[in-house]
Amino acid sequence: MLLVARLRMRGEAPVPAGGMGLLGKGVEFDAGQAARSARRWRGIGLCVGLPVALVAAWQGLAASDQFATQSRFVIRTHHDAPAPTTTLANLVRTGGTASGEEEEAQVLDFMRSRDALRVLDRQGVRARFSAASGADWLARYPRPWEADRFETLFRYYGNMVTARIDKDSGVAVLEVRAFTAQDAHDVNAALLDAGEDFVNRLNARAQARAIAEGTARVAAAEQKLREVRAGLAQYRNRQALIDPEKQAAGVLTVASGLVAEQAQLRSQLAEMQRATPSNPAIPALAGRVAAIGREIGAQQAQVVGGSGAIASKMTGYAALQTEESFAQASLTAANTALDMARTEAARQQFYLDRVVEPGTPDMAEYPHRLRIVLSVFAACLCLYLIGWMLVMGILEHAPED
């Protein structure tokens, strides 16, 4: 009754005359309720029925079919390990990853990127998405309110191309939508070719980097070896020796011969002094024994016993010789690593393996017409009910005067 009184105050329900009975009041109430019901249905028709009818008519009569095709691929890598070499070569060898998961993610990012779109654009992808393909004016590129620009094409491309990884199998999935089955197939195949080219460029960069690093290591090892050999030559000139070990062995050999000769002369001298003490040759023989003794001392002094002896020079020489051996080993290992890098460069490290080739669909998959119409109906009905509840709430709390 309060609602009827408010409607009367708003002029929406007439006030009964003083002589009207209960029947007149009932008729008047029914007429007001019918008017309100008519307005309600008119609002439902305008807010819900009309949009749904327009969307249903568009989807049924004008919306273009869209064909979708999928392809699947993985990025594989060669797992054959290189033959083992020296430990030092293994230390300086440039190693690579044994998994293609990172490269697979990079390929998917490339397929969703502007670089991939530029490759497709050079192959005429705009015509495959435009009115020339038979697309309606709301689905085609560019739409009536959009300009024909690359950034606009890139946003449109993101809606027509989907690149993802299947979480269950780990296989990369590429889906392309177009307005003809052949266009969908051609764009998908072109993207796969662009992905293979991208993988090849990744391999080329990695191989060039590995070869450059190996070449730099070889050059550094060669320079180090030259420096060590130059230092060794300076040490030999400064110390006046070629090979301390060989020179010491020669001096010791001479000293050993002199010792043997001195022993023999001493034996002769002793026998002569015993047999013929007055022999005039005894002084000369004794002098010879003494001279050989002095020579033995001199030879031994060249090897040990002083700052100029060979033994004191062998420590520095041995250090330089060890450094030269290590530098030579480093150069050998660097050359081995460079040869291995060149061998790796002769074959592809990563490659795109197509698991499922793109097909040519014989039935359109998009748009989902019934789903779109039902979604529009549900959205419009919800908006209408929200608006109706707001109006009724305002009327319920409005002042009676």
Side-chain angles (χ1 to χ4, degrees):
M1 294 302 293
L2 179 59
L3 178 59
V4 173
R6 287 178 177 166
L7 292 174
R8 285 175 180 168
M9 293 177 63
R10 296 169 60 90
E12 298 178 0
V15 179
M20 185 178 293
L22 293 175
L23 180 59
K25 293 180 179 181
V27 173
E28 181 184 354
F29 181 77
D30 290 341
Q33 186 176 12
R36 291 192 301 274
S37 179
R39 286 193 297 272
R40 183 180 303 118
W41 282 108
R42 187 165 58 250
I44 292 176
L46 291 174
C47 297
V48 180
L50 181 60
V52 172
L54 291 175
V55 171
W58 176 265
Q59 292 296 327
L61 300 176
S64 302
D65 291 335
Q66 297 182 21
F67 297 84
T69 179
Q70 279 191 359
S71 61
R72 294 171 177 263
F73 63 89
V74 293
I75 303 298
R76 300 190 186 279
T77 179
H78 298 280
H79 292 283
D80 48 325
T85 56
T86 62
T87 304
L88 187 58
N90 291 332
L91 290 176
V92 301
R93 180 175 60 87
T94 302
T97 177
S99 173
E101 295 179 357
E102 181 180 352
E103 284 71 18
E104 190 171 277
Q106 292 177 0
V107 171
L108 291 179
D109 288 340
F110 167 77
M111 289 181 172
R112 294 188 291 259
S113 69
R114 291 173 175 82
D115 292 338
L117 179 57
R118 289 188 182 95
V119 174
L120 295 179
D121 197 15
R122 289 192 293 268
Q123 300 177 7
V125 74
R126 291 175 190 249
R128 300 179 186 273
F129 292 148
S130 64
S133 62
D136 61 82
W137 61 280
L138 284 181
R140 71 192 182 197
Y141 171 83
R143 297 179 179 91
W145 59 88
E146 295 176 337
D148 187 8
R149 298 173 180 170
F150 184 80
E151 286 301 319
T152 307
L153 178 62
F154 179 68
R155 290 194 296 268
Y156 185 87
Y157 171 81
N159 294 327
M160 303 299 285
V161 175
T162 303
R164 59 182 177 85
I165 294 180
D166 191 338
K167 295 182 179 179
D168 295 330
S169 62
V171 177
V173 180
L174 175 63
E175 179 179 295
V176 176
R177 293 161 53 186
F179 300 103
T180 65
Q182 190 62 42
D183 285 344
H185 170 272
D186 293 345
V187 173
N188 199 311
L191 270 176
L192 287 178
D193 293 339
E196 289 180 344
D197 293 339
F198 177 73
V199 172
N200 292 334
R201 290 197 300 272
L202 288 180
N203 286 327
R205 284 198 295 266
Q207 292 161 4
R209 183 170 58 251
I211 293 176
E213 291 176 357
T215 304
R217 289 193 179 98
V218 170
E222 290 176 347
Q223 179 63 26
K224 179 64 176 177
L225 183 59
R226 285 193 294 269
E227 293 176 355
V228 171
R229 286 178 175 174
L232 185 59
Q234 292 177 0
Y235 184 84
R236 285 170 173 168
N237 292 330
R238 186 171 58 253
Q239 299 297 333
L241 53 82
I242 302 299
D243 190 341
E245 293 182 356
K246 293 181 179 180
Q247 289 183 345
V251 171
L252 292 177
T253 300
V254 172
S256 299
L258 292 176
V259 168
E261 183 181 0
Q262 185 185 40
Q264 184 179 2
L265 292 176
R266 282 181 176 176
S267 176
Q268 293 178 2
L269 178 62
E271 181 63 25
M272 188 178 295
Q273 288 177 345
R274 182 183 62 80
T276 57
S278 59
N279 193 329
I282 290 177
L285 187 59
R288 187 176 178 185
V289 169
I292 292 176
R294 290 191 296 272
E295 184 63 24
I296 292 174
Q299 293 293 328
Q300 292 177 348
Q302 291 182 21
V303 179
V304 295
S307 58
I310 296 176
S312 63
K313 301 176 183 179
M314 290 186 67
T315 302
Y317 182 83
L320 289 174
Q321 196 174 36
T322 302
E323 190 174 357
E324 182 187 19
S325 300
F326 183 79
Q328 183 64 52
S330 298
L331 178 59
T332 302
N335 283 319
T336 302
L338 180 58
D339 291 339
M340 293 173 61
R342 287 172 176 168
T343 303
E344 290 287 334
R347 63 187 181 93
Q348 188 181 27
Q349 293 180 349
F350 293 95
Y351 61 95
L352 189 149
D353 187 9
R354 302 188 184 190
V355 180
V356 178
E357 292 284 350
T360 304
D362 56 0
M363 185 177 63
E365 186 173 347
Y366 300 96
H368 301 293
R369 291 178 170 85
L370 181 59
R371 185 185 303 173
I372 292 174
V373 172
L374 292 178
S375 299
V376 172
F377 172 75
C380 292
L381 183 60
C382 290
L383 291 175
Y384 174 79
L385 292 176
I386 292 172
W388 182 79
M389 293 176 64
L390 289 175
V391 171
M392 296 305 297
I394 293 173
L395 292 176
E396 184 73 23
H397 294 85
E400 296 184 2
D401 54 352

